[in-house]
């Protein structure tokens, strides 16, 4: 009851993003020329990084050290302190927060894990309180700028009325690779210097100035798979040189994690129209399977009543024993298919199967065909039907398939055990690496999800043999599409999210993410700008993207922001933020993208607290009115006494 009556009490348990600041390295740290090695040049051209613009620390920058890069612990500590302290100083300066205001500190850096920790370095540098809750997260990869919000949110829930400082960076010095393994060389070209400091709070008193509130957070970890956990790792090459290894299966494994994460978050961000389209698609699938079962039973009864087993019996017979086989192998398909679509259609469906990854509601090709876990049950149905019809309904293939009425797809009459094995194994078999020449530099740059639908290889043969047509559903322009009897694929550009913060791991990564989520160039522009101007800054990448959005376009009150991060493990995190107020300000990291006059106007507007000024103005007017009333009453009293004294004297 108190939460309903007391203003601001409802926000006590909410996690709000108070403000953020991203570090802009000095201009002299920019890289002015690509590597002379041909492979690195080719990768660099495709990487999406500007030839002049991204930053390397002086101990690695050829402009300072030539080819004698310094990668010792002292150099790493210097780079870390420079970036992290620069980000935190900027945050304190723009927000007015003081070190004593910080209750919780969480730092994250994947490769650089010193002793004492990076969190201890920040405590020492800024003199944070002695009772500070300080934690450092190491080895978490690029995704932890998004995934780490889970820990910060849980800590804030455990400590009401607190403020947390979340610092994301990747110190490039210890990750520098000196060998010749192409799987590791690419990291020297993609990763750059950067850091982000984010203030989050659940203090009701700070809600008026907070920017966003965290609405949804999803975390997916596919490290149960050996392929996933080995796709990205840090370690030595054949001759002992340490470096970050990027495998050729990064794309398929990352797409699987992305599909699982988007399946969970989609019911919360899709529009009612999209949810209705997904539900309609699921009902059409169920109706289609029901017709198949009815046709199968009708065919079985008619064949048994004919009394001529010479042509029909092999179809209903078991492979070896010659006994009747029940039509049960397809009975599990409706449940699997319903689970595959229910992740989008039903808001209550919060989890997808952990083993197969079915129900990737973002509908990406990679998550449904290449990741080994996203194949839909409708593909299973197509496989069953096509194998039974194309194979004669028995392992020997001697009996011809029964014809189906026009407009209906044939069912699987007495699907045999060998057919069931193929169907079950198909969705779980990881796809092989691409057949084209694959540069390791392209490994992170392959799209984790592709919009091209991949139907079952026997689908067309099945339709030709049956003379039927596979039903398809479409939710309308911009709302999603039904790929035959495949999964419903929503268009996230037309969801309730207005801004998208995608991890800029490479140019092709952004291409793939944009195609998978069906985003146009304007939605991808902030992420592309981060890659161009700052490179892959690991866990802080999405925060650079948010700073770009706030600087160049702005966020209106009530708009939703979708933050997506994918990294080693394989881990995927998705956060949904909602703007509590209009946000448009100049971040120093993006001032170079603004016209001088526009930047000056925004800085002037930011220097004047309109919300605070308005409240102070109203309070001042009220106080002035009270003072004037009191003065008038005092003057009236004085005049009355003077008049009384005059009368008495007369």
């Amino acid at each position: 009851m108190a939460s309903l009556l007391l203003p601001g009490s409802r926000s006590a348990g909410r996690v709000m993003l108070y403000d953020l600041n991203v570090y802009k390295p000095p201009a002299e740290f920019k890289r002015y020329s690509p590597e002379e090695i041909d492979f690195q040049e080719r990768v660099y051209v495709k990487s999406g990084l500007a030839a002049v613009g991204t930053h390397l620390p002086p101990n690695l920058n050829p402009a300072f050290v030539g080819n004698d890069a310094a990668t010792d612990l002292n150099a790493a500590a210097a780079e870390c302190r420079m970036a992290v302290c620069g980000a935190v100083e900027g945050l304190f300066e723009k927000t007015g927060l003081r070190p004593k205001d910080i209750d919780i500190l969480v730092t994250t850096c994947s490769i650089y894990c010193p002793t004492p920790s990076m969190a201890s370095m920040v405590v020492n540098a800024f003199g944070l309180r002695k009772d500070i809750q300080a934690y450092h997260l190491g080895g978490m990869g690029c995704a932890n700028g998004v995934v780490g919000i889970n820990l910060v949110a849980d800590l804030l829930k455990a400590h009401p009325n607190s403020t947390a400082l979340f610092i994301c960076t990747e110190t490039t010095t210890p990750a520098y690779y000196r060998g010749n393994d192409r799987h590791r060389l690419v990291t020297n070209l993609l990763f750059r210097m950067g850091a982000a400091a984010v203030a989050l709070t659940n203090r009701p008193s700070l809600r008026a100035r907070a920017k966003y509130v965290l609405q949804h957070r999803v975390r997916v970890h596919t490290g149960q798979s050996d392929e996933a956990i080995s796709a990205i790792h840090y370690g030595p090459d054949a001759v002992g040189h340490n470096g970050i290894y990027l495998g050729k299966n990064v794309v398929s494994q990352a797409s699987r994690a992305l599909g699982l994460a988007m399946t969970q978050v989609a019911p919360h961000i899709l529009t009612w129209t999209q949810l209705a389209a997904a539900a309609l698609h699921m009902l059409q699938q169920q109706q289609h399977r029901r017709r198949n079962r009815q046709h199968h039973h009708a065919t079985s009864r008619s064949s048994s009543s004919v009394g001529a087993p010479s042509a029909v019996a092999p179809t209903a017979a078991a492979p070896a024993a010659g006994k009747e086989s029940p039509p049960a192998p397809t009975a599990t398909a409706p449940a699997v298919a319903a689970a595959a679509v229910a992740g989008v259609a039903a808001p209550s469906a919060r989890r997808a199967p952990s083993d197969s990854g079915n129900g990737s509601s973002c509908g990406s090709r990679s998550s449904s065909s290449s990741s080994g876990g996203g194949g839909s049950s409708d593909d299973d149905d197509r496989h069953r039907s096509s194998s039974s019809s194309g194979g004669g309904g028995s392992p020997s293939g001697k009996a011809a398939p029964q014809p189906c009425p026009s407009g209906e797809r044939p069912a699987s009459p007495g699907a045999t055990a060998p057919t069931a094995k193929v169907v079950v194994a198909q969705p779980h078999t990881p796809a092989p690496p691409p057949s084209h020449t694959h540069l390791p530099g392209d490994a992170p740059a392959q799209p984790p999800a592709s919009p091209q639908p991949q139907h079952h290889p026997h689908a067309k043969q099945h339709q030709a043999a049956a003379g039927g047509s596979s039903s398809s559903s479409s939710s309308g322009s911009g709302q999603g599409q039904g790929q035959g009897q495949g999964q419903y694929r929503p268009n996230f550009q037309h969801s309730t999210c207005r801004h998208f913060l995608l991890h800029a791991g490479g140019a092709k990564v952004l291409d793939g993410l944009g195609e998978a989520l069906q985003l146009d160039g304007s939605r991808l522009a902030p992420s592309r700008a981060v890659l161009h101007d700052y490179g892959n800054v690991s866990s802080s990448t999405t925060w650079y993207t948010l700073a770009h959005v706030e600087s160049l376009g702005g966020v209106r009150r009530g708009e939703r922001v979708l933050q997506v991060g994918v990294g080693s493990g394989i881990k995927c995190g998705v956060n949904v933020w909602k703007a509590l107020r209009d946000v448009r300000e100049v971040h120093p990291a993006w001032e170079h993208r603004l016209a001088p006059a526009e930047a000056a106007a925004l800085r002037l507007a930011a220097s004047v607290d309109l919300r605070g000024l308005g409240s102070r103005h109203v309070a001042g007017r009220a106080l002035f009115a009270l003072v004037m009333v009191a003065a008038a009453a005092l003057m009236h009293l004085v005049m009355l006494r003077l008049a009384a004294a005059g009368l008495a004297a007369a």
Side-chain angles (χ1 to χ4, degrees):
M1 181 64 70
S3 61
L4 299 176
L5 299 179
L6 298 179
S9 60
R10 294 181 60 186
S11 63
R14 308 175 74 182
V15 177
M16 296 173 288
L17 194 157
Y18 183 66
D19 213 329
L20 76 152
N21 183 63
V22 295
Y23 174 67
K24 182 175 183 179
E28 59 268 21
F29 289 4
K30 291 184 179 181
R31 183 169 188 150
Y32 293 97
S33 62
E35 295 290 338
E36 297 178 356
I37 303 175
D38 179 66
F39 166 75
Q40 291 176 306
E41 288 182 344
R42 288 188 287 118
V43 174
Y44 194 84
V45 169
K46 299 178 182 179
S47 66
L49 276 68
V52 178
T54 58
H55 303 80
L56 280 174
N59 56 293
L60 298 180
N61 198 319
F64 291 86
V65 296
N67 294 325
D68 299 327
T71 58
D72 57 279
L73 289 178
N74 291 333
E79 178 192 350
C80 178
R81 181 177 289 267
M82 183 186 307
V84 169
C85 293
V88 176
E89 287 174 355
L91 180 66
F92 283 164
E93 181 179 354
K94 70 180 297 188
T95 61
L97 291 173
R98 298 165 294 177
K100 68 177 184 179
D101 297 328
I102 305 301
D103 305 287
I104 300 169
L105 171 65
V106 177
T107 61
T108 178
C109 184
S110 189
I111 304 299
Y112 180 60
C113 296
T115 302
S117 69
M118 185 184 300
S120 298
M121 181 200 72
V122 176
V123 171
N124 176 263
F126 295 94
L128 301 184
R129 299 201 320 255
K130 292 181 175 61
D131 61 343
I132 186 80
Q133 298 286 322
Y135 305 91
H136 176 71
L137 307 177
M140 298 289 286
C142 300
N144 207 44
V146 182
V147 172
I149 292 295
N150 287 271
L151 176 61
V152 177
D154 290 341
L155 289 172
L156 285 173
K157 285 189 175 182
H159 298 83
N161 199 34
S162 300
T163 299
L165 177 60
F166 183 43
I167 302 174
C168 306
T169 189
E170 187 59 58
T171 303
T172 59
T173 297
Y176 184 80
Y177 177 64
R178 296 179 178 272
N180 298 317
D181 183 4
R182 292 188 173 185
H183 290 276
R184 292 173 171 85
L185 270 174
V186 66
T187 58
N188 291 349
L189 298 171
L190 292 178
F191 287 92
R192 288 295 184 268
M193 181 183 186
V198 185
L200 300 108
T201 184
N202 56 7
R203 291 182 177 176
S205 60
L206 296 179
R207 188 185 188 281
R209 296 182 57 87
K211 291 182 175 180
Y212 310 94
V213 62
L214 180 62
Q215 289 193 317
H216 307 289
R217 49 189 172 105
V218 172
R219 177 181 180 179
V220 169
H221 203 308
T222 61
Q224 308 85 359
S225 166
D226 292 338
E227 292 81 5
I229 201 169
S230 62
I232 306 174
H233 65 270
Y234 177 77
D237 60 8
V239 296
H241 294 298
N242 286 327
I244 300 176
Y245 176 88
L246 299 176
K248 291 184 178 181
N249 63 336
V250 168
V251 176
S252 60
Q253 296 301 324
S255 65
R256 178 170 180 254
L258 176 64
L260 294 174
M262 294 306 298
T263 298
Q264 296 185 41
V265 78
H268 302 289
I269 63 175
L270 295 182
T271 62
W272 288 110
T273 303
Q274 290 174 313
L275 292 174
L280 177 62
H281 183 74
M282 180 180 63
L283 293 176
Q284 290 175 341
Q285 289 178 323
Q286 293 177 346
Q287 183 180 10
H288 186 80
R289 287 190 294 272
R290 189 180 302 110
R291 288 199 302 265
N292 285 345
R293 288 194 298 270
Q294 293 174 354
H295 174 70
H296 165 71
H297 294 318
T299 304
S300 301
R301 288 194 299 269
S302 61
S303 61
S304 61
S305 62
V306 169
S310 58
V312 181
T315 302
K323 298 180 180 180
E324 290 188 359
S325 175
T330 58
T332 58
V336 178
V341 183
V344 176
S348 61
R350 301 294 299 274
R351 297 182 61 88
S354 58
D355 293 333
S356 63
N358 287 334
S360 173
S361 58
C362 63
S364 63
R365 179 184 66 180
S366 300
S367 60
S368 61
S369 61
S370 300
S371 63
S376 68
S377 57
D378 302 296
D379 292 334
D380 299 349
D381 293 341
R382 283 197 297 269
H383 193 101
R384 287 191 177 95
S385 301
S386 60
S387 12
S388 60
S389 62
S394 68
S396 61
K398 295 180 181 179
Q402 297 294 328
C404 295
S406 177
E408 292 187 7
R409 293 171 55 192
S412 168
T416 60
T419 302
K421 284 185 179 179
V422 174
V423 173
V424 173
Q426 181 91 5
H428 297 275
T429 304
S435 58
H436 66 277
T437 302
H438 188 92
L439 297 175
D442 296 337
Q446 294 294 333
S450 175
Q452 300 293 336
Q454 282 198 351
H455 301 287
H456 194 278
H458 301 294
K460 293 183 179 180
Q461 299 176 6
H462 175 96
Q463 294 175 5
S469 59
S470 61
S471 63
S472 62
S473 64
S474 176
S475 60
S477 175
Q479 298 300 328
Q481 65 185 44
Q483 301 169 1
Q485 279 296 312
Q487 294 171 316
Y488 171 76
R489 184 184 174 210
N491 187 327
F492 286 93
Q493 171 139 339
H494 296 274
S495 67
T496 59
C497 293
R498 181 67 177 84
H499 306 278
F500 298 85
L501 316 177
L502 309 180
H503 174 62
K508 292 184 179 179
V509 166
L510 295 178
D511 292 340
L513 289 176
E515 291 173 354
L517 302 179
Q518 303 187 55
L519 307 178
D520 61 17
S522 64
R523 300 300 195 276
L524 295 175
S527 297
R528 293 193 190 280
V530 173
L531 186 64
H532 184 273
D533 290 5
Y534 290 96
N536 186 341
V537 282
S538 190
S539 58
S540 59
T541 299
T542 55
W543 300 112
Y544 276 82
T545 310
L546 180 57
H548 179 281
V549 171
E550 293 181 353
S551 298
L552 274 73
V555 181
R556 292 185 178 274
R557 180 181 179 180
E559 290 183 342
R560 284 182 170 186
V561 180
L562 184 70
Q563 185 183 27
V564 179
V566 182
S568 60
I570 295 290
K571 297 182 294 296
C572 181
V574 179
N575 297 329
V576 179
W577 303 90
K578 183 177 181 180
L580 296 173
R581 58 182 175 88
D582 292 346
V583 181
R584 180 73 194 280
E585 63 182 48
V586 180
H587 288 263
W590 295 106
E591 188 174 1
H592 62 280
R593 289 252 179 173
L594 294 170
E598 183 180 8
L602 291 174
R603 288 192 180 280
L604 179 61
S607 64
V608 179
D609 184 5
L610 297 179
R611 294 169 62 91
L613 183 61
S615 60
R616 289 195 296 269
H617 178 70
V618 172
R621 290 175 64 92
L623 180 61
F624 178 76
L626 291 176
V627 171
M628 294 301 296
V629 169
L634 181 61
M635 292 180 63
H636 182 69
L637 181 60
V638 171
M639 294 298 295
L640 288 177
R641 288 190 175 184
L642 289 177
L647 292 175

